[in-house]
Amino acid sequence: MIVYTTDLGTGQRLYLHNTDTTTTLTLVASAAGQQQAQRSGLSTGPWQKPPTVFRTAGSIIVRIEAQGGEFFVQVQGSSMHVLSSSPSLGTAEVLPTQRSSEATVPGGMQPMQPMQPMQMQMGDMQMQMEPMKMQMGDMQMQMPPMQQATPASAAPKPSRRFCPQCGTPVKPTDRFCSSCGHRLVEADSE
Ligand SMILES: [Zn+2]
């Protein structure tokens, strides 16, 4: 991208930049420490020559000689408009233009605003909800301590036993089935 700048005096500076298709004019007015930029784009095609900036009696005229033809843009105050016919520039003063790098265009190609940092940090995936924690860096996860899965009342009861012989429920302490007298504890270590 080619950029030319011209100091228009009166605290205004004009930046002209050209891409393959478009000429962009940025008019920057500095007042009281604030910058105001007006921008206007024009389909000109690539420039054939550096633009020329004229100061006439009442306004600034920019002449752009590009592949798409010759264009004149009038800058008056803080407004810019394209002239439909060639203005008379006989007595106009040519203002010096400086070629500069695009980095100096204020309000120009603005870098993308950095995204607002998100609550969740995606860098190495951290996440925290009230009691829950999660971290992907070295894979950590933390959840509230599990409540006792089984309340005390439901604590494992001594399993009911049945007589393998006749199916009658027997007490775990029984050594013999009360119904059929089958011996219940022979294999048990108890
Ligand atoms: Zn039995």
Side-chain angles (χ1 to χ4, degrees):
M1 192 166 69
I2 311 166
V3 180
Y4 282 88
T5 75
T6 306
D7 189 352
L8 303 183
T10 71
Q12 285 178 305
R13 181 168 275 274
L14 184 64
Y15 294 80
L16 301 154
H17 33 114
N18 183 229
T19 64
D20 284 345
T21 57
T22 308
T23 299
T24 305
L25 297 93
T26 308
L27 183 63
V28 178
S30 306
Q34 289 200 327
Q35 283 198 331
Q36 282 198 320
Q38 301 275 331
R39 193 180 308 168
S40 177
L42 196 60
S43 270
T44 58
W47 290 343
Q48 310 281 38
K49 291 184 184 178
T52 315
V53 180
F54 302 90
R55 192 207 302 275
T56 65
S59 64
I60 300 290
I61 305 285
V62 182
R63 183 178 66 197
I64 297 153
E65 291 162 279
Q67 207 168 60
E70 200 176 33
F71 299 85
F72 292 94
V73 178
Q74 187 175 42
V75 180
Q76 261 180 320
S78 62
S79 67
M80 290 179 280
H81 60 272
V82 181
L83 298 177
S84 51
S85 60
S86 303
S88 159
L89 294 167
T91 61
E93 176 197 353
V94 175
L95 295 178
T97 53
Q98 295 100 42
R99 188 172 175 159
S100 66
S101 72
E102 63 190 273
T104 65
V105 183
M109 304 296 127
Q110 278 183 339
M112 294 276 290
Q113 287 289 334
M115 303 239 322
Q116 289 293 328
M118 297 202 322
Q119 293 286 45
M120 237 197 298
Q121 188 180 326
M122 295 300 274
D124 54 352
M125 188 72 190
Q126 277 189 355
M127 198 171 135
Q128 175 150 15
M129 283 180 259
E130 227 342 73
M132 186 176 139
K133 242 185 189 171
M134 195 172 146
Q135 186 174 357
M136 294 292 273
D138 14 31
M139 198 65 192
Q140 243 185 18
M141 252 172 101
Q142 189 176 310
M143 277 186 247
M146 293 287 281
Q147 292 193 336
Q148 282 299 105
T150 45
S153 62
K157 288 176 187 166
S159 54
R160 291 198 70 161
R161 297 178 67 179
F162 297 90
C163 169
Q165 185 71 31
C166 67
T168 302
V170 293
K171 291 179 198 156
T173 49
D174 284 351
R175 295 181 154 263
F176 297 93
C177 174
S178 59
S179 175
C180 69
H182 181 77
R183 186 171 180 175
L184 299 171
V185 293
E186 52 187 352
D188 279 336
S189 54
E190 274 177 339

